[in-house]
Amino acid sequence: MEGSERQLLLIERMRTAERVTVAELAEETGCSEMTIRRDLDQLAEQGVLRRVRGGAVSLVLRGEVLPFGVREHEAPESKRRIAAAFDALVTDGESLILDGGTTSLAIARVLARRRVTVVPLDLHAAYVLGNAPDVRLLVPGGQTTPGALTLGGHLTETSLRTLRVDTTVLGVCGLSVGHGLTANDLTEVPIKQAAIASAQRVVAVCTGTKFGRTGLGHVCPATDLDMVVTDESAPIEAVSGLRDLGVDVRVV
């Protein structure tokens, strides 16, 4: 079991148990206690848990978003397939707003090889695209959030509302037929809405785990999406429901 896979397993265990011991985790994973201690120390540095004698206590409440560095290791192969599928939908010369998030970061890596104009909404993507020779990079102003480095606030929203782009690529916290696209962080809602309003085409990108989830903030109904690119873990009924609404769903 790779380190990132093992750490995700530990996180899921802590979401249900809240407090765990090194001995329990070593037995469940088949790894040595030394390896488990090292994993817990790394997760503590990322703010996922607090180390206590003989184990750890979760710092992430049920339903809360994990730190960016942890989420980046979730389903990496699925995110690469989604990014490759989206890359095939882009034409040279196209202009795009690229939402923040780990799936969007995978898309930034493939767009770095293209001749396009990109407006990234987090600094992770901006860094990847900054040295791309054929990418015209437009970075909006705004305030960054710790860790995720997402751009937001009045400056970001105002910048987006002055633009007209070909495509907006939206990251997803939750997506369903009934509730549409939702966000966990309320500050993201007006930014995503401004990005939607500025685009001729709106594409949501996410792994199948985001279907059926509902965040606190409502961004838009599902009918505002032109396309969803997801992976094969997406529930069949959710995919069918979106297609019934006229949304083009691409499963990779």
Side-chain angles (χ1 to χ4, degrees):
M1 184 182 296
E2 294 185 358
S4 59
E5 182 183 359
R6 189 175 57 251
Q7 289 184 9
L8 291 173
L9 183 64
L10 300 186
I11 291 169
E12 288 305 312
R13 178 71 170 81
M14 297 199 67
R15 281 183 179 274
T16 57
E18 295 185 0
R19 184 184 179 108
V20 294
T21 69
V22 171
E24 290 171 344
L25 295 174
E27 183 177 354
E28 290 180 19
T29 61
C31 299
S32 69
E33 292 191 4
M34 182 179 295
T35 297
I36 296 299
R37 289 192 187 94
R38 185 167 57 247
D39 286 339
L40 293 178
D41 288 342
Q42 291 176 0
L43 292 174
E45 291 176 0
Q46 295 174 329
V48 175
L49 53 84
R50 174 170 55 86
R51 291 286 271 119
V52 296
R53 184 177 178 84
V57 175
S58 176
L59 295 179
V60 180
L61 298 178
R62 195 167 299 166
E64 280 190 338
V65 178
L66 293 171
F68 186 93
V70 176
R71 289 186 284 118
E72 190 175 2
H73 294 295
E74 292 182 309
E77 185 55 39
S78 290
K79 293 172 184 177
R80 282 192 287 269
R81 291 200 306 270
I82 290 169
F86 179 79
D87 185 43
L89 302 172
V90 176
T91 58
D92 285 340
E94 194 165 334
S95 58
L96 308 96
I97 294 172
L98 182 60
D99 202 0
T102 57
T103 304
S104 296
L105 180 57
I107 289 174
R109 293 186 176 113
V110 299
L111 291 179
R113 302 190 294 268
R114 301 294 302 273
R115 182 169 294 174
V116 290
T117 298
V118 185
V119 184
L121 298 184
D122 76 23
L123 297 186
H124 293 290
Y127 178 78
V128 167
L129 296 166
N131 292 320
D134 294 325
V135 173
R136 182 187 184 196
L137 184 64
L138 304 178
V139 182
Q143 182 175 350
T144 59
T145 56
L149 298 181
T150 304
L151 293 164
H154 174 73
L155 290 176
T156 306
E157 183 180 351
T158 301
S159 296
L160 294 181
R161 293 198 182 279
T162 65
L163 299 176
R164 293 297 179 266
V165 299
D166 296 307
T167 302
T168 280
V169 186
L170 291 175
V172 175
C173 296
L175 178 59
S176 68
V177 171
H179 297 290
L181 188 71
T182 55
N184 294 318
D185 187 343
L186 293 180
T187 63
E188 294 182 5
V189 173
I191 305 302
K192 291 179 184 290
Q193 290 173 339
I196 291 170
S198 297
Q200 296 183 43
R201 178 177 65 163
V202 180
V203 181
V205 293
C206 65
T207 59
T209 57
K210 303 300 178 69
F211 286 87
R213 294 184 182 179
T214 302
L216 183 61
H218 181 255
V219 176
C220 68
T223 49
D224 281 5
L225 305 175
D226 297 296
M227 182 181 296
V228 174
V229 183
T230 186
D231 68 349
E232 57 190 7
S233 69
I236 295 175
E237 61 275 12
V239 172
S240 298
L242 289 173
R243 286 173 173 164
D244 289 342
L245 293 176
V247 181
D248 183 359
V249 182
R250 307 288 179 93
V251 180
V252 298

